[in-house]
Amino acid sequence: PAEPAPPAVSWESLRLSGTWQRDSARSSDDKGLLDLMDMSFAFRQAYGLLNTLEIAQSADTLRVSTRALIISLDERYPTSGAAAKQSRRDLRPGACSGRARVVPRADAAAGAAAEVKLAFEDEKAGTVTEYYYIDGAGALVREVELALREGGRFEGVTYYTRA
């Protein structure tokens, strides 16, 4: 179960809602992620077009969405920290669930970040942990940590500006 956020850290303080455009010049290369997951040529082409991220926060839900060609991501997480069923991002079959919570984050403008944890089963089973926060310059930062059960890890950072 998710631990409740400290009283000084709240979902409202994150201010993540909006349409965000990828800053490729500042972002890490995700080729290692695509290689680790053995993604197809078609998936890689679609992934390369995922330049816009939409985030919507409400009192009870964090919604993260993006789409390009064969990829359509629309994830909703209860802000209570409860688990929510999701589709696998790599389009493979298999169970996937995630949860979100607010965690303290010293390098975030609000002093906190949204932490999203996903667990997925079957082929290429593993976990993804992501942190979303606004930095001191007003950019959205998305840090990703992928760990496969069979071995293999990837870490990357993507920066976004408000569209």
Side-chain angles (χ1 to χ4, degrees), residues 6-110:
V9 180
S10 67
W11 280 102
E12 294 77 25
S13 70
L14 299 181
R15 296 190 172 96
L16 300 174
S17 290
T19 301
W20 299 90
Q21 194 69 31
R22 181 185 173 102
D23 181 347
S24 297
R26 290 184 64 200
S27 299
S28 58
D29 184 354
D30 289 342
K31 183 182 181 309
L33 169 71
L34 299 171
D35 289 347
L36 183 62
M37 294 299 293
D38 293 327
M39 299 313 303
S40 70
F41 176 78
F43 188 95
R44 288 170 190 260
Q45 294 303 304
Y47 187 90
L49 298 174
L50 293 175
N51 293 317
T52 304
L53 184 68
E54 293 183 30
I55 298 179
Q57 286 178 251
S58 69
D60 60 356
T61 305
L62 173 68
R63 180 180 178 202
V64 179
S65 58
T66 189
R67 61 186 33 85
L69 301 176
I70 62 172
I71 302 172
S72 180
L73 172 72
D74 189 16
E75 298 174 346
R76 297 166 196 253
Y77 301 94
T79 56
S80 66
K85 183 179 176 185
Q86 306 295 337
S87 295
R88 283 189 56 156
R89 293 178 179 179
D90 62 0
L91 307 181
R92 287 185 171 98
C96 180
S97 67
R99 59 181 72 233
R101 65 180 184 153
V102 176
V103 296
R105 182 76 190 220
D107 54 348

